[in-house]
Amino acid sequence: MHLVEELNKNYNSDLVVNVSYCPLPIILPCFCLRPFQEAECAYVLFVVAILWITEALPLSVTALLPGLLFPLLGILPSTKVASAYFKDFHLLLIGVICLATSIEKWNLHKRIALRMVMMVGVNPVWLTLGFMSSTAFLSMWLSNTSTAAMVMPIVEAVAQQIISAEAEVEATQMTYFNESATHGLEVDETVIGQEANEKKEKTKQVPRCNNDAEKNSSKVEIEKNGVTGTKYRSKKDHMMCKLMCLSIAYSSTIGGLTTITGTSTNLIFTEHFNTRYPECQCLNFGSWFMFSFPVAVILLLLSWIWLQWLFLGFNVKEMFKCGKSKTVKEKACADVIKQEYQKLGPMRYQEIVTLVLFFLMALLWFSRNPGFIAGWSELFAQYPGFVTDSTVALLIGLFFFLIPANRLTKTTSTGEIVAFDYSPLITWKEFQSFMPWDIAILVGGGFALADGCEVSGLSQWIGNKLSPLGSLPVWLIILISSLIVTSLTEVASNPATITILLPILSPLAEAIHVNPLQILLPSTLCTSFAFLLPVANPPNAIVFSYGHLKVTDMVKAGLGVNILGVAVVMLGIFTWIGPMFDLHTYPSWANQTSP
């Protein structure tokens, strides 16, 4: 065992060295002639990407490499790289973690989780679909990051409650089995002597059953310790947790496709399109929803089936059994869940205040700039773009440190009990224990890489390679551009990817006389398909921080969702989206572009 661990350590150290020096023969000639920043940034990108995938170093440690290598290679000064590690996302994360800390401290997440399980049922198949649907709906109106951060504590509580309920049910069944076996032995001892041989056979069989039970119990324990760790009773429980985590990450991204305000890439595209083609009045909140909603629904259902097959197996009878009676185990689990809910008692003052702040945060996020009506951000019209979702998160987060939760009392010398202070809903130490600083560094490393790719010209170089696509069939141009965008957005931020590629794809469409929307719409939608890595987008990082997933789990699942996403977008472009915008006709407004 020690030899295996030593070999793993040596393998990881050798892998780090090999990964670091492998690209050097490729870029060293460039350094000798003239230090091309594109090649230097590509080297950093290659090393970081391989180390993230292989986990030869801790992910957060690998995320610090751009801060070391970019200044040494002359790509970005240290001060600019450092600023990339703390951005608006981190302020949003701080505010949301304040909410999550209060929710878990006062057991509100447990109440919500138990109530949701009582409504939907404990079958992971339909429970996952219910979570995905509700998450996607929230993500239509809120930011993908906010949605994932709010829903994940509830999902984590639900998963743990189901695991605990099943454990209690199995323990009860085992106790009943042992009592029945003991009772059978006592009855056998009262039979007459002529049945002694039969009694011996029976008493031999009973311990054999107990031995089988002990073997099964030992098997579960081995899976618990050797495969899934102390959090899970069996490998199936671990797979269920992985399934639920990825379903939240992917559904929060998929839901953001459906509205212009659902994600930043949609906003960037509409701004670019309306500026370049002012004569086209075809894109608005309603038209965007009409063409993107079917894409999101189909992709959501296909992703649900894919994740079910990947982690729990594709059992058609299990997945689509409707109206059938519950199994004994499901009924017993439901009873345990109901008893646990009743133990919580009525809602306390602290839970009510936390729930009010939860809804207030969601309401302020939704009404800030909904798109179809004027939001409250218009009150700060003189400072356009200054107020973001992080502003709301910090405002609500501050209330958790101000609103009193309990009064602190003391007894005076006269025996009178007086209040001398109060404790807030959360304390700074409690917040620190919940704040995932390693994930904050991880996402910051992704931002730093995106800045380096943009400043060095690597993103521009990759985009320019799309220019020769003009001689290919239109459907192939759409497919290739969608696949390239989907691949690029895994290592670069979504806004940076769409910002770099839109000025390249628009002239390409005009040059080959194709409706610009036919190329720009699928590319914009595919920019959101960053499902492979924890650093690809914030929702991935949030669910990854709960510790159920490995990078390889996310790569395997995300690759399938990426393929499904591109396929669904291609299907939509050549079916219902085509007639909506008359994509097969080159429009007159495409020749009247603004400079």
PDB file of all heavy atoms in Angstrom, residues 245-274:
ATOM      1  N   CYS A 245     -25.369  17.082  -8.482  1.00  0.00           N
ATOM      2  CA  CYS A 245     -24.497  18.252  -8.613  1.00  0.00           C
ATOM      3  C   CYS A 245     -24.398  18.703 -10.060  1.00  0.00           C
ATOM      4  O   CYS A 245     -24.580  19.891 -10.377  1.00  0.00           O
ATOM      5  CB  CYS A 245     -23.113  17.927  -8.068  1.00  0.00           C
ATOM      6  SG  CYS A 245     -23.009  17.841  -6.271  1.00  0.00           S
ATOM      7  N   LEU A 246     -24.131  17.774 -10.964  1.00  0.00           N
ATOM      8  CA  LEU A 246     -23.980  18.140 -12.368  1.00  0.00           C
ATOM      9  C   LEU A 246     -25.295  18.601 -12.969  1.00  0.00           C
ATOM     10  O   LEU A 246     -25.310  19.473 -13.848  1.00  0.00           O
ATOM     11  CB  LEU A 246     -23.434  16.948 -13.147  1.00  0.00           C
ATOM     12  CG  LEU A 246     -21.964  16.608 -12.881  1.00  0.00           C
ATOM     13  CD1 LEU A 246     -21.563  15.330 -13.608  1.00  0.00           C
ATOM     14  CD2 LEU A 246     -21.062  17.754 -13.296  1.00  0.00           C
ATOM     15  N   SER A 247     -26.402  18.035 -12.517  1.00  0.00           N
ATOM     16  CA  SER A 247     -27.697  18.466 -13.049  1.00  0.00           C
ATOM     17  C   SER A 247     -27.967  19.927 -12.710  1.00  0.00           C
ATOM     18  O   SER A 247     -28.544  20.659 -13.525  1.00  0.00           O
ATOM     19  CB  SER A 247     -28.813  17.573 -12.497  1.00  0.00           C
ATOM     20  OG  SER A 247     -28.967  17.749 -11.098  1.00  0.00           O
ATOM     21  N   ILE A 248     -27.536  20.382 -11.533  1.00  0.00           N
ATOM     22  CA  ILE A 248     -27.732  21.789 -11.162  1.00  0.00           C
ATOM     23  C   ILE A 248     -26.818  22.684 -11.993  1.00  0.00           C
ATOM     24  O   ILE A 248     -27.250  23.735 -12.503  1.00  0.00           O
ATOM     25  CB  ILE A 248     -27.455  21.984  -9.662  1.00  0.00           C
ATOM     26  CG1 ILE A 248     -28.445  21.172  -8.828  1.00  0.00           C
ATOM     27  CG2 ILE A 248     -27.545  23.460  -9.293  1.00  0.00           C
ATOM     28  CD1 ILE A 248     -29.900  21.437  -9.134  1.00  0.00           C
ATOM     29  N   ALA A 249     -25.561  22.293 -12.155  1.00  0.00           N
ATOM     30  CA  ALA A 249     -24.628  23.112 -12.935  1.00  0.00           C
ATOM     31  C   ALA A 249     -25.103  23.262 -14.378  1.00  0.00           C
ATOM     32  O   ALA A 249     -25.107  24.366 -14.935  1.00  0.00           O
ATOM     33  CB  ALA A 249     -23.229  22.489 -12.892  1.00  0.00           C
ATOM     34  N   TYR A 250     -25.511  22.159 -14.990  1.00  0.00           N
ATOM     35  CA  TYR A 250     -25.887  22.200 -16.395  1.00  0.00           C
ATOM     36  C   TYR A 250     -27.237  22.868 -16.614  1.00  0.00           C
ATOM     37  O   TYR A 250     -27.428  23.623 -17.575  1.00  0.00           O
ATOM     38  CB  TYR A 250     -25.912  20.774 -16.965  1.00  0.00           C
ATOM     39  CG  TYR A 250     -24.552  20.106 -16.969  1.00  0.00           C
ATOM     40  CD1 TYR A 250     -24.421  18.726 -17.116  1.00  0.00           C
ATOM     41  CD2 TYR A 250     -23.387  20.847 -16.794  1.00  0.00           C
ATOM     42  CE1 TYR A 250     -23.173  18.112 -17.118  1.00  0.00           C
ATOM     43  CE2 TYR A 250     -22.139  20.246 -16.785  1.00  0.00           C
ATOM     44  CZ  TYR A 250     -22.035  18.880 -16.947  1.00  0.00           C
ATOM     45  OH  TYR A 250     -20.800  18.287 -16.947  1.00  0.00           O
ATOM     46  N   SER A 251     -28.194  22.613 -15.725  1.00  0.00           N
ATOM     47  CA  SER A 251     -29.515  23.228 -15.903  1.00  0.00           C
ATOM     48  C   SER A 251     -29.474  24.731 -15.661  1.00  0.00           C
ATOM     49  O   SER A 251     -30.234  25.485 -16.293  1.00  0.00           O
ATOM     50  CB  SER A 251     -30.537  22.564 -14.971  1.00  0.00           C
ATOM     51  OG  SER A 251     -30.135  22.684 -13.612  1.00  0.00           O
ATOM     52  N   SER A 252     -28.598  25.203 -14.768  1.00  0.00           N
ATOM     53  CA  SER A 252     -28.488  26.651 -14.569  1.00  0.00           C
ATOM     54  C   SER A 252     -27.923  27.328 -15.812  1.00  0.00           C
ATOM     55  O   SER A 252     -28.298  28.450 -16.145  1.00  0.00           O
ATOM     56  CB  SER A 252     -27.599  26.950 -13.357  1.00  0.00           C
ATOM     57  OG  SER A 252     -26.280  26.503 -13.564  1.00  0.00           O
ATOM     58  N   THR A 253     -27.029  26.649 -16.519  1.00  0.00           N
ATOM     59  CA  THR A 253     -26.496  27.192 -17.767  1.00  0.00           C
ATOM     60  C   THR A 253     -27.522  27.099 -18.889  1.00  0.00           C
ATOM     61  O   THR A 253     -27.690  28.047 -19.672  1.00  0.00           O
ATOM     62  CB  THR A 253     -25.213  26.435 -18.167  1.00  0.00           C
ATOM     63  OG1 THR A 253     -24.239  26.582 -17.131  1.00  0.00           O
ATOM     64  CG2 THR A 253     -24.652  26.977 -19.463  1.00  0.00           C
ATOM     65  N   ILE A 254     -28.212  25.977 -18.985  1.00  0.00           N
ATOM     66  CA  ILE A 254     -29.206  25.789 -20.045  1.00  0.00           C
ATOM     67  C   ILE A 254     -30.352  26.773 -19.886  1.00  0.00           C
ATOM     68  O   ILE A 254     -30.851  27.337 -20.864  1.00  0.00           O
ATOM     69  CB  ILE A 254     -29.725  24.334 -20.031  1.00  0.00           C
ATOM     70  CG1 ILE A 254     -28.593  23.381 -20.426  1.00  0.00           C
ATOM     71  CG2 ILE A 254     -30.908  24.161 -20.967  1.00  0.00           C
ATOM     72  CD1 ILE A 254     -28.927  21.909 -20.237  1.00  0.00           C
ATOM     73  N   GLY A 255     -30.800  27.021 -18.656  1.00  0.00           N
ATOM     74  CA  GLY A 255     -31.884  27.965 -18.444  1.00  0.00           C
ATOM     75  C   GLY A 255     -31.524  29.372 -18.867  1.00  0.00           C
ATOM     76  O   GLY A 255     -32.390  30.139 -19.328  1.00  0.00           O
ATOM     77  N   GLY A 256     -30.246  29.738 -18.743  1.00  0.00           N
ATOM     78  CA  GLY A 256     -29.822  31.071 -19.145  1.00  0.00           C
ATOM     79  C   GLY A 256     -29.905  31.327 -20.631  1.00  0.00           C
ATOM     80  O   GLY A 256     -29.846  32.491 -21.073  1.00  0.00           O
ATOM     81  N   LEU A 257     -30.053  30.265 -21.442  1.00  0.00           N
ATOM     82  CA  LEU A 257     -30.156  30.450 -22.889  1.00  0.00           C
ATOM     83  C   LEU A 257     -31.466  31.095 -23.305  1.00  0.00           C
ATOM     84  O   LEU A 257     -31.543  31.690 -24.381  1.00  0.00           O
ATOM     85  CB  LEU A 257     -30.036  29.091 -23.598  1.00  0.00           C
ATOM     86  CG  LEU A 257     -28.759  28.271 -23.393  1.00  0.00           C
ATOM     87  CD1 LEU A 257     -28.915  26.916 -24.072  1.00  0.00           C
ATOM     88  CD2 LEU A 257     -27.555  29.006 -23.952  1.00  0.00           C
ATOM     89  N   THR A 258     -32.494  30.992 -22.497  1.00  0.00           N
ATOM     90  CA  THR A 258     -33.855  31.273 -22.949  1.00  0.00           C
ATOM     91  C   THR A 258     -34.226  32.748 -22.985  1.00  0.00           C
ATOM     92  O   THR A 258     -35.205  33.114 -23.620  1.00  0.00           O
ATOM     93  CB  THR A 258     -34.864  30.530 -22.053  1.00  0.00           C
ATOM     94  OG1 THR A 258     -34.634  30.921 -20.692  1.00  0.00           O
ATOM     95  CG2 THR A 258     -34.690  29.033 -22.175  1.00  0.00           C
ATOM     96  N   THR A 259     -33.490  33.591 -22.298  1.00  0.00           N
ATOM     97  CA  THR A 259     -33.813  35.023 -22.287  1.00  0.00           C
ATOM     98  C   THR A 259     -32.571  35.833 -22.628  1.00  0.00           C
ATOM     99  O   THR A 259     -31.440  35.387 -22.424  1.00  0.00           O
ATOM    100  CB  THR A 259     -34.339  35.474 -20.912  1.00  0.00           C
ATOM    101  OG1 THR A 259     -33.334  35.226 -19.916  1.00  0.00           O
ATOM    102  CG2 THR A 259     -35.624  34.739 -20.549  1.00  0.00           C
ATOM    103  N   ILE A 260     -32.798  37.035 -23.142  1.00  0.00           N
ATOM    104  CA  ILE A 260     -31.677  37.912 -23.481  1.00  0.00           C
ATOM    105  C   ILE A 260     -30.878  38.259 -22.237  1.00  0.00           C
ATOM    106  O   ILE A 260     -29.642  38.359 -22.274  1.00  0.00           O
ATOM    107  CB  ILE A 260     -32.196  39.185 -24.171  1.00  0.00           C
ATOM    108  CG1 ILE A 260     -32.732  38.844 -25.565  1.00  0.00           C
ATOM    109  CG2 ILE A 260     -31.092  40.234 -24.282  1.00  0.00           C
ATOM    110  CD1 ILE A 260     -33.297  40.025 -26.308  1.00  0.00           C
ATOM    111  N   THR A 261     -31.570  38.421 -21.124  1.00  0.00           N
ATOM    112  CA  THR A 261     -30.895  38.779 -19.875  1.00  0.00           C
ATOM    113  C   THR A 261     -30.436  37.559 -19.085  1.00  0.00           C
ATOM    114  O   THR A 261     -29.897  37.708 -17.986  1.00  0.00           O
ATOM    115  CB  THR A 261     -31.839  39.615 -18.996  1.00  0.00           C
ATOM    116  OG1 THR A 261     -33.041  38.854 -18.733  1.00  0.00           O
ATOM    117  CG2 THR A 261     -32.203  40.919 -19.679  1.00  0.00           C
ATOM    118  N   GLY A 262     -30.647  36.358 -19.626  1.00  0.00           N
ATOM    119  CA  GLY A 262     -30.313  35.153 -18.877  1.00  0.00           C
ATOM    120  C   GLY A 262     -28.837  34.958 -18.660  1.00  0.00           C
ATOM    121  O   GLY A 262     -28.427  34.357 -17.670  1.00  0.00           O
ATOM    122  N   THR A 263     -28.008  35.445 -19.583  1.00  0.00           N
ATOM    123  CA  THR A 263     -26.561  35.295 -19.453  1.00  0.00           C
ATOM    124  C   THR A 263     -25.882  36.445 -20.182  1.00  0.00           C
ATOM    125  O   THR A 263     -26.475  37.068 -21.082  1.00  0.00           O
ATOM    126  CB  THR A 263     -26.089  33.942 -20.026  1.00  0.00           C
ATOM    127  OG1 THR A 263     -24.688  33.801 -19.835  1.00  0.00           O
ATOM    128  CG2 THR A 263     -26.403  33.819 -21.493  1.00  0.00           C
ATOM    129  N   SER A 264     -24.655  36.740 -19.807  1.00  0.00           N
ATOM    130  CA  SER A 264     -23.954  37.905 -20.356  1.00  0.00           C
ATOM    131  C   SER A 264     -23.673  37.751 -21.840  1.00  0.00           C
ATOM    132  O   SER A 264     -23.648  38.750 -22.576  1.00  0.00           O
ATOM    133  CB  SER A 264     -22.646  38.124 -19.597  1.00  0.00           C
ATOM    134  OG  SER A 264     -21.816  36.978 -19.678  1.00  0.00           O
ATOM    135  N   THR A 265     -23.459  36.528 -22.326  1.00  0.00           N
ATOM    136  CA  THR A 265     -23.164  36.345 -23.746  1.00  0.00           C
ATOM    137  C   THR A 265     -24.351  36.749 -24.620  1.00  0.00           C
ATOM    138  O   THR A 265     -24.165  37.282 -25.718  1.00  0.00           O
ATOM    139  CB  THR A 265     -22.790  34.883 -24.027  1.00  0.00           C
ATOM    140  OG1 THR A 265     -23.828  34.021 -23.540  1.00  0.00           O
ATOM    141  CG2 THR A 265     -21.490  34.524 -23.342  1.00  0.00           C
ATOM    142  N   ASN A 266     -25.574  36.492 -24.142  1.00  0.00           N
ATOM    143  CA  ASN A 266     -26.750  36.930 -24.887  1.00  0.00           C
ATOM    144  C   ASN A 266     -26.810  38.448 -24.985  1.00  0.00           C
ATOM    145  O   ASN A 266     -27.134  39.014 -26.044  1.00  0.00           O
ATOM    146  CB  ASN A 266     -28.018  36.405 -24.215  1.00  0.00           C
ATOM    147  CG  ASN A 266     -28.102  34.892 -24.204  1.00  0.00           C
ATOM    148  OD1 ASN A 266     -27.274  34.209 -24.810  1.00  0.00           O
ATOM    149  ND2 ASN A 266     -29.082  34.353 -23.512  1.00  0.00           N
ATOM    150  N   LEU A 267     -26.498  39.116 -23.898  1.00  0.00           N
ATOM    151  CA  LEU A 267     -26.504  40.582 -23.897  1.00  0.00           C
ATOM    152  C   LEU A 267     -25.420  41.141 -24.817  1.00  0.00           C
ATOM    153  O   LEU A 267     -25.650  42.108 -25.554  1.00  0.00           O
ATOM    154  CB  LEU A 267     -26.311  41.097 -22.472  1.00  0.00           C
ATOM    155  CG  LEU A 267     -27.480  40.909 -21.509  1.00  0.00           C
ATOM    156  CD1 LEU A 267     -27.049  41.227 -20.085  1.00  0.00           C
ATOM    157  CD2 LEU A 267     -28.655  41.787 -21.910  1.00  0.00           C
ATOM    158  N   ILE A 268     -24.238  40.545 -24.777  1.00  0.00           N
ATOM    159  CA  ILE A 268     -23.142  41.004 -25.635  1.00  0.00           C
ATOM    160  C   ILE A 268     -23.510  40.827 -27.104  1.00  0.00           C
ATOM    161  O   ILE A 268     -23.261  41.707 -27.941  1.00  0.00           O
ATOM    162  CB  ILE A 268     -21.847  40.242 -25.296  1.00  0.00           C
ATOM    163  CG1 ILE A 268     -21.371  40.625 -23.893  1.00  0.00           C
ATOM    164  CG2 ILE A 268     -20.757  40.530 -26.327  1.00  0.00           C
ATOM    165  CD1 ILE A 268     -20.214  39.794 -23.396  1.00  0.00           C
ATOM    166  N   PHE A 269     -24.117  39.696 -27.431  1.00  0.00           N
ATOM    167  CA  PHE A 269     -24.506  39.457 -28.814  1.00  0.00           C
ATOM    168  C   PHE A 269     -25.548  40.464 -29.296  1.00  0.00           C
ATOM    169  O   PHE A 269     -25.421  41.033 -30.389  1.00  0.00           O
ATOM    170  CB  PHE A 269     -25.052  38.042 -28.980  1.00  0.00           C
ATOM    171  CG  PHE A 269     -25.809  37.839 -30.256  1.00  0.00           C
ATOM    172  CD1 PHE A 269     -25.133  37.780 -31.469  1.00  0.00           C
ATOM    173  CD2 PHE A 269     -27.197  37.751 -30.262  1.00  0.00           C
ATOM    174  CE1 PHE A 269     -25.828  37.614 -32.656  1.00  0.00           C
ATOM    175  CE2 PHE A 269     -27.893  37.584 -31.439  1.00  0.00           C
ATOM    176  CZ  PHE A 269     -27.208  37.510 -32.643  1.00  0.00           C
ATOM    177  N   THR A 270     -26.602  40.663 -28.513  1.00  0.00           N
ATOM    178  CA  THR A 270     -27.648  41.591 -28.945  1.00  0.00           C
ATOM    179  C   THR A 270     -27.106  43.010 -29.091  1.00  0.00           C
ATOM    180  O   THR A 270     -27.496  43.738 -30.021  1.00  0.00           O
ATOM    181  CB  THR A 270     -28.818  41.572 -27.949  1.00  0.00           C
ATOM    182  OG1 THR A 270     -28.322  41.794 -26.619  1.00  0.00           O
ATOM    183  CG2 THR A 270     -29.547  40.248 -27.993  1.00  0.00           C
ATOM    184  N   GLU A 271     -26.210  43.411 -28.194  1.00  0.00           N
ATOM    185  CA  GLU A 271     -25.624  44.740 -28.310  1.00  0.00           C
ATOM    186  C   GLU A 271     -24.784  44.854 -29.584  1.00  0.00           C
ATOM    187  O   GLU A 271     -24.878  45.842 -30.324  1.00  0.00           O
ATOM    188  CB  GLU A 271     -24.766  45.040 -27.081  1.00  0.00           C
ATOM    189  CG  GLU A 271     -24.129  46.421 -27.102  1.00  0.00           C
ATOM    190  CD  GLU A 271     -23.291  46.695 -25.871  1.00  0.00           C
ATOM    191  OE1 GLU A 271     -23.251  45.819 -24.979  1.00  0.00           O
ATOM    192  OE2 GLU A 271     -22.675  47.761 -25.799  1.00  0.00           O
ATOM    193  N   HIS A 272     -23.972  43.836 -29.851  1.00  0.00           N
ATOM    194  CA  HIS A 272     -23.156  43.847 -31.066  1.00  0.00           C
ATOM    195  C   HIS A 272     -24.031  43.827 -32.310  1.00  0.00           C
ATOM    196  O   HIS A 272     -23.791  44.591 -33.267  1.00  0.00           O
ATOM    197  CB  HIS A 272     -22.217  42.642 -31.066  1.00  0.00           C
ATOM    198  CG  HIS A 272     -21.542  42.396 -32.386  1.00  0.00           C
ATOM    199  ND1 HIS A 272     -20.385  43.043 -32.759  1.00  0.00           N
ATOM    200  CD2 HIS A 272     -21.872  41.577 -33.432  1.00  0.00           C
ATOM    201  CE1 HIS A 272     -20.021  42.643 -33.970  1.00  0.00           C
ATOM    202  NE2 HIS A 272     -20.904  41.748 -34.397  1.00  0.00           N
ATOM    203  N   PHE A 273     -25.039  42.969 -32.314  1.00  0.00           N
ATOM    204  CA  PHE A 273     -25.883  42.818 -33.497  1.00  0.00           C
ATOM    205  C   PHE A 273     -26.665  44.093 -33.783  1.00  0.00           C
ATOM    206  O   PHE A 273     -26.734  44.542 -34.937  1.00  0.00           O
ATOM    207  CB  PHE A 273     -26.830  41.636 -33.288  1.00  0.00           C
ATOM    208  CG  PHE A 273     -27.646  41.296 -34.502  1.00  0.00           C
ATOM    209  CD1 PHE A 273     -27.116  40.481 -35.490  1.00  0.00           C
ATOM    210  CD2 PHE A 273     -28.938  41.781 -34.656  1.00  0.00           C
ATOM    211  CE1 PHE A 273     -27.869  40.169 -36.624  1.00  0.00           C
ATOM    212  CE2 PHE A 273     -29.689  41.475 -35.772  1.00  0.00           C
ATOM    213  CZ  PHE A 273     -29.151  40.669 -36.758  1.00  0.00           C
ATOM    214  N   ASN A 274     -27.280  44.673 -32.760  1.00  0.00           N
ATOM    215  CA  ASN A 274     -28.072  45.890 -32.967  1.00  0.00           C
ATOM    216  C   ASN A 274     -27.199  47.076 -33.363  1.00  0.00           C
ATOM    217  O   ASN A 274     -27.653  47.981 -34.077  1.00  0.00           O
ATOM    218  CB  ASN A 274     -28.856  46.218 -31.705  1.00  0.00           C
ATOM    219  CG  ASN A 274     -29.943  45.200 -31.418  1.00  0.00           C
ATOM    220  OD1 ASN A 274     -30.484  44.574 -32.331  1.00  0.00           O
ATOM    221  ND2 ASN A 274     -30.252  44.999 -30.150  1.00  0.00           N
TER     222      ASN A 274
END
